[in-house]
Amino acid sequence: MKKLGLVGGIGPESTVHYYKGIIQGFRERTGKDAYPLMIIDSLDLAEMYDLAAAKDWEIFSQRLIDSVKRLSAGGAEFAAMAANTAHIVFEKVQAESPLPLVSIVEETCKAAKKENFKKVIIFGTGFTMSSGLYTEKFLEYGIEAIVPEAEDQRAIHNIIFPNLEAGIVLPEEKEKILEIANRMIHQKGGEALVLGCTELPLIIKEEDLEVPILDTTQIHIEAILDYYMLG
Amino acid sequence: MKKLGLVGGIGPESTVHYYKGIIQGFRERTGKDAYPLMIIDSLDLAEMYDLAAAKDWEIFSQRLIDSVKRLSAGGAEFAAMAANTAHIVFEKVQAESPLPLVSIVEETCKAAKKENFKKVIIFGTGFTMSSGLYTEKFLEYGIEAIVPEAEDQRAIHNIIFPNLEAGIVLPEEKEKILEIANRMIHQKGGEALVLGCTELPLIIKEEDLEVPILDTTQIHIEAILDYYMLG
């Protein structure tokens, strides 16, 4: 059985979500009474957030590279970073990684391609929306990815931090975020909404919108499971 | 900051409980916006359960020793096994471990000693109760530890598997387990009940009994936090 190395801790809730989701999916897919082997390196979320806020991508990348190397030393045979934000420096990490990495962005693009979407909307943290994280990769797949205007980006970021991160969903914040989504669907022609942050599925559900949702975390977990199934 | 290596996956729910508990406790104790460094190696619960059931302690120990070595390779500076059952072979693992290990049994004995208990009752899985896991170590601390009769051991084990493991608490099972506890308190003079299994706090609460409870998982987490605080 292959062994997964998971770069975790950014944040811990997301790490738990991956851990439980991978175990549940593995057991469902194999139908066997067995549990997937996994090693998880949990980083300091506060430090990583500060590095991202300061745009110190050099040290930010180094923390992730060191983590993947530790996971490799601990027996991992492939790896994934359990956070969208970490993928801003994915190419850098991959270049130094001793292990193949499963990218949440690449897998989301593949999922959108499969559904034949031509134009999708990206929601995520300010880091994710302003960095071109999804927009550039989607272009390679011939899909246009649009992000909210700066003011809407700030509003979404401030709904994720601190409330959503702490699991708190306020009705007025839900109304605000759906207003932004609906406006972009109608005015810009977005055919699907990409939830590019682990916490967003807490506040935006499939039934809230007229267009489909792409839950990046779930897509990432399924891709990791595909890797396990390769044996 | 010291880095913890956690042998996890036996079982996953318990691992999540440790992970969240350590992070929460660390943040409370330090009062800083920082997260503890941790690496978790998640084993195959089904294989470990089968090895314990077959009393194949040789391979069972080897799995744990290999895990601690992987955690060490991944940068851990001290380690803990997030399961009572794993401690049946604690001495064996410790003898081969490159890292200092925090023992749930030793820490529970220290906690009982601090409270001046002379006689405690041990509840846990059949493996834990029948192996002398807690009884022998408690003797070293001058404390008598008593386990239920064979029939009661079976009843408790069968409440833990599969219901408690899946988070299911049935009223008739709660009544049964409290009946055993109360009988041992009154007939044998147990001064405290040791919950020697991560799932037992789901079904037995402090307010259910006349005597105090020693929650081994919580004691273990606090001892791990003490280690972090050493810096």
Side-chain angles (χ1 to χ4, degrees):
Chain A
M1 196 200 303
K2 272 211 174 60
K3 179 163 182 165
L4 166 67
L6 199 65
V7 179
I10 38 177
E13 283 298 332
S14 172
T15 304
V16 168
H17 188 84
Y18 272 84
Y19 183 60
K20 289 180 156 188
I22 289 166
I23 288 175
Q24 192 192 332
F26 181 90
R27 290 174 63 75
E28 282 169 10
R29 287 206 194 187
T30 61
K32 283 192 206 148
D33 186 19
Y35 290 75
L37 299 180
M38 213 182 312
I39 183 161
I40 303 169
D41 188 53
S42 191
L43 303 178
D44 179 349
L45 167 62
E47 188 198 17
M48 295 303 278
Y49 185 97
D50 289 346
L51 289 169
K55 296 193 194 303
D56 189 346
W57 301 117
E58 201 57 52
I59 299 183
F60 185 88
S61 311
Q62 201 52 55
R63 292 284 180 277
L64 298 169
I65 293 164
D66 291 344
S67 181
V68 174
K69 286 184 178 168
R70 285 192 295 267
L71 292 168
S72 174
E77 290 157 279
F78 70 112
M81 301 187 287
N84 270 283
T85 307
H87 288 74
I88 293 174
V89 295
F90 181 84
E91 323 295 317
K92 253 191 154 125
V93 179
Q94 192 174 43
E96 305 268 343
S97 170
L99 303 174
L101 296 178
V102 183
S103 157
I104 196 169
V105 180
E106 191 92 41
E107 296 298 332
T108 300
C109 291
K110 286 186 200 162
K113 188 81 188 164
K114 229 179 178 174
E115 301 289 333
N116 259 314
F117 296 131
K118 295 277 172 284
K119 194 178 202 175
V120 299
I121 303 161
I122 313 290
F123 277 15
T125 63
F127 308 129
T128 294
M129 292 184 287
S130 66
S131 64
L133 172 57
Y134 277 93
T135 46
E136 287 164 22
K137 184 58 76 179
F138 264 112
L139 267 188
E140 295 176 22
Y141 284 77
I143 298 169
E144 188 186 348
I146 52 175
V147 294
E149 306 283 337
E151 191 187 330
D152 288 336
Q153 285 191 19
R154 270 193 300 277
I156 295 169
H157 185 88
N158 292 335
I159 289 171
I160 296 172
F161 299 103
N163 282 347
L164 272 191
E165 275 283 333
I168 299 164
V169 175
L170 297 181
E172 64 270 27
E173 291 189 337
K174 177 161 179 140
E175 199 179 311
K176 176 68 188 170
I177 205 164
L178 291 180
E179 185 271 316
I180 298 171
N182 281 317
R183 185 154 32 88
M184 292 183 73
I185 292 164
H186 294 127
Q187 294 183 0
K188 312 269 182 179
E191 299 166 325
L193 178 64
V194 175
L195 301 185
C197 167
T198 316
E199 279 75 20
L200 284 172
L202 291 176
I203 199 164
I204 304 181
K205 313 278 182 195
E206 196 74 51
E207 62 267 24
D208 292 329
L209 294 175
E210 296 157 37
V211 302
I213 273 172
L214 292 172
D215 179 344
T216 59
T217 306
Q218 201 49 45
I219 291 167
H220 202 197
I221 288 173
E222 297 297 334
I224 289 166
L225 290 169
D226 289 344
Y227 230 96
Y228 270 115
M229 295 309 121
L230 295 176
Chain B
M1 197 199 305
K2 271 212 174 61
K3 179 164 180 165
L4 166 68
L6 199 66
V7 179
I10 39 176
E13 283 297 334
S14 172
T15 304
V16 169
H17 188 84
Y18 272 84
Y19 182 60
K20 290 180 155 188
I22 289 165
I23 288 174
Q24 192 192 331
F26 180 89
R27 289 175 63 76
E28 282 169 10
R29 286 204 194 190
T30 62
K32 283 192 206 148
D33 186 20
Y35 290 76
L37 299 180
M38 212 182 314
I39 184 162
I40 303 171
D41 188 53
S42 191
L43 304 177
D44 178 350
L45 167 63
E47 189 199 17
M48 295 304 279
Y49 184 96
D50 289 347
L51 289 169
K55 294 193 195 301
D56 190 344
W57 301 118
E58 201 57 52
I59 298 183
F60 185 89
S61 311
Q62 200 52 55
R63 291 285 179 276
L64 298 169
I65 292 164
D66 291 345
S67 182
V68 174
K69 286 184 178 168
R70 285 192 295 267
L71 292 168
S72 174
E77 291 157 279
F78 70 111
M81 301 187 288
N84 270 282
T85 308
H87 287 75
I88 292 174
V89 296
F90 182 83
E91 322 293 323
K92 255 192 154 118
V93 179
Q94 191 174 43
E96 305 268 344
S97 170
L99 303 175
L101 296 177
V102 183
S103 157
I104 197 169
V105 180
E106 191 92 41
E107 296 298 332
T108 300
C109 290
K110 285 187 202 164
K113 188 81 188 165
K114 228 178 176 176
E115 300 288 332
N116 259 315
F117 295 130
K118 296 275 173 286
K119 195 177 202 176
V120 298
I121 304 162
I122 313 290
F123 276 16
T125 63
F127 309 129
T128 294
M129 292 184 287
S130 66
S131 65
L133 172 59
Y134 277 92
T135 47
E136 288 164 22
K137 184 58 75 178
F138 264 112
L139 267 187
E140 295 177 22
Y141 283 78
I143 297 169
E144 188 186 351
I146 53 175
V147 294
E149 306 282 336
E151 192 188 326
D152 290 335
Q153 285 190 21
R154 269 193 300 277
I156 295 169
H157 185 87
N158 292 336
I159 289 171
I160 297 174
F161 299 104
N163 282 348
L164 272 191
E165 276 283 333
I168 300 165
V169 174
L170 298 181
E172 63 269 28
E173 292 189 336
K174 178 162 179 141
E175 199 179 314
K176 175 68 189 169
I177 206 164
L178 290 180
E179 184 270 315
I180 298 170
N182 281 317
R183 185 153 34 85
M184 292 184 73
I185 292 164
H186 294 130
Q187 294 182 0
K188 310 269 183 177
E191 299 165 324
L193 178 64
V194 175
L195 301 185
C197 168
T198 315
E199 279 75 19
L200 284 173
L202 290 176
I203 199 165
I204 303 181
K205 312 278 181 193
E206 195 75 50
E207 62 268 23
D208 292 330
L209 295 174
E210 296 157 38
V211 303
I213 274 173
L214 293 172
D215 179 343
T216 59
T217 306
Q218 201 49 46
I219 290 167
H220 202 198
I221 288 173
E222 297 296 334
I224 289 166
L225 289 169
D226 289 343
Y227 231 94
Y228 269 115
M229 295 309 120
L230 296 177

